[in-house]
């Protein structure tokens, strides 16, 4: 026959067992939580490493293209910096669009397919020679077409010479048919071309370049992106250009 002290002892034993089980569950849950935190940390470190590798690969490719042309040294880096500033002013969340910078850096990669004699010709180009140079946009997009992580960047490479009025190349896209990042890029590209010395003409200052670019609003350039560009002071572009120069280039 069970006495009341037996019952108390049995209840206590059950309670203790339940407490031990609860403590064991809690420890298990804590281990799961720690495992999850560790996998998340490792996953994030891997993603960051992957992003860094992408960026380093893109820069290596971009430097390989630039190494060929002593004149435009660091053009891609400057244009990328200008382009990102204009993109931000145009309301694009640049942090959400890592491919945009890749597209800016690689825009002229197709020039590897253009012979030196034409690419560096200091005199005026014949129609055929111009056609050959113009081919770099399409060649560039073909070079990159199978690189998954550059899918959107390839659109910038292909369309960076399209014009708002539809008279650009390679596809003669018009207005908003041209990807927004390519419309942004077109302004940055022209800004750098005008403000650096080239074999066929001397550089002008950022204020003079702005006037020249504004003249192309509605013909060469998207007027809305021009308006965004106009919210950025010339001093910002000067600072960006000096930043690129001091980062180790010519
Ligand atoms: Fe180009």
């Amino acid at each position: 026959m069970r006495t009341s002290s037996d019952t108390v002892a049995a209840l206590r034993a059950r309670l203790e067992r339940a407490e031990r089980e609860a403590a064991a569950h809690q420890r298990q849950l804590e281990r799961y939580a720690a495992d999850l935190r560790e996998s998340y940390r490792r996953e994030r470190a891997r993603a960051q490493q992957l992003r860094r590798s992408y960026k380093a690969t893109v820069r290596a490719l971009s430097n390989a293209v630039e190494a060929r042309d002593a004149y435009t040294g660091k053009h891609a880096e400057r244009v990328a910096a200008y382009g990102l500033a204009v993109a931000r002013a145009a309301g694009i969340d640049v942090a959400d669009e890592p491919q945009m910078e890749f597209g800016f850096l690689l825009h002229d990669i197709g020039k590897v397919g253009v012979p030196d004699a034409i690419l560096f010709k200091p005199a005026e180009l014949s129609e055929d020679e111009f056609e050959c140079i113009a081919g770099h946009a399409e060649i560039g997009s073909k070079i990159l077409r199978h690189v998954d992580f550059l899918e959107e960047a390839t659109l910038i490479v292909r369309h960076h010479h399209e014009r708002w009025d539809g008279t650009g190349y390679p596809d003669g896209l018009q207005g908003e048919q041209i990807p927004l990042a390519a419309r942004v890029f077109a302004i940055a590209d022209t800004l750098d071309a005008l403000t650096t010395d080239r074999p066929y003409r001397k550089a002008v200052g950022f204020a003079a370049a702005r006037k020249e670019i504004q003249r192309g609003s509605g013909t060469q350039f998207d007027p809305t992106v021009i308006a965004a560009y106009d919210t950025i002071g010339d001093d910002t572009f000067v600072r960006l250009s000096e930043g690129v120069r001091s980062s180790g280039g010519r």
Side-chain angles (χ1 to χ4, degrees):
M1 201 172 95
R2 287 178 78 152
T3 63
S4 65
S5 65
D6 285 344
T7 312
V8 168
L11 278 173
R12 188 171 292 143
R14 247 165 63 193
L15 186 64
E16 281 171 1
R17 203 168 49 242
E19 277 174 353
R20 275 197 305 276
E21 279 171 13
H25 274 140
Q26 190 176 341
R27 279 196 301 276
Q28 198 174 28
L29 281 176
E30 280 167 2
R31 272 199 302 275
Y32 286 159
D35 282 355
L36 267 178
R37 270 197 303 274
E38 179 56 20
S39 330
Y40 174 71
R41 195 195 59 74
R42 246 181 291 163
E43 212 40 61
R44 213 171 52 169
R46 251 200 299 269
Q48 277 169 353
Q49 194 187 23
L50 200 58
R51 257 200 307 276
R52 276 198 300 273
S53 306
Y54 283 168
K55 207 163 176 172
T57 307
V58 166
R59 281 184 190 278
L61 274 175
S62 153
N63 288 340
V65 177
E66 300 242 298
R68 196 172 154 216
D69 187 349
Y71 242 95
T72 59
K74 287 262 163 181
H75 162 71
E77 297 264 353
R78 278 193 309 271
V79 148
Y82 299 166
L84 290 178
V86 176
R88 279 190 204 98
I92 299 173
D93 187 347
V94 170
D96 266 359
E97 310 267 351
Q99 289 214 13
M100 198 161 52
E101 186 179 5
F102 296 164
F104 292 172
L105 285 166
L106 294 174
H107 66 283
D108 273 344
I109 190 169
K111 283 190 177 170
V112 296
V114 179
D116 284 4
I118 298 178
L119 194 59
F120 305 125
K121 188 176 170 183
E124 207 176 325
L125 298 172
S126 71
E127 210 170 301
D128 284 349
E129 288 166 340
F130 178 79
E131 287 279 303
C132 178
I133 288 200
H136 78 279
E138 196 169 355
I139 295 170
S141 68
K142 283 184 176 156
I143 290 173
L144 301 178
R145 76 188 146 179
H146 297 307
V147 186
D148 284 350
F149 82 93
L150 292 174
E151 203 175 334
E152 285 164 45
T154 304
L155 288 176
I156 298 172
V157 174
R158 182 170 185 97
H159 298 297
H160 73 280
H161 285 289
E162 304 284 2
R163 291 171 52 110
W164 183 251
D165 60 10
T167 61
Y169 62 87
D171 299 319
L173 298 186
Q174 197 172 5
E176 292 184 1
Q177 289 178 326
I178 307 165
L180 176 59
R183 282 180 263 149
V184 164
F185 179 82
I187 292 173
D189 198 20
T190 304
L191 181 62
D192 189 59
L194 291 171
T195 53
T196 47
D197 285 332
R198 296 293 161 101
Y200 41 90
R201 54 149 189 77
K202 280 286 198 197
V204 300
F206 282 93
R210 187 183 297 274
K211 285 207 181 80
E212 178 72 30
I213 288 170
Q214 283 165 338
R215 268 197 289 276
S217 178
T219 49
Q220 186 173 357
F221 307 116
D222 176 352
T224 312
V225 184
I226 290 279
Y229 158 63
D230 278 337
T231 65
I232 308 170
D234 291 335
D235 54 327
T236 299
F237 292 113
V238 171
R239 213 174 42 244
L240 290 171
S241 154
E242 283 167 357
V244 168
R245 203 177 326 140
S246 63
S247 70
R250 284 178 300 230

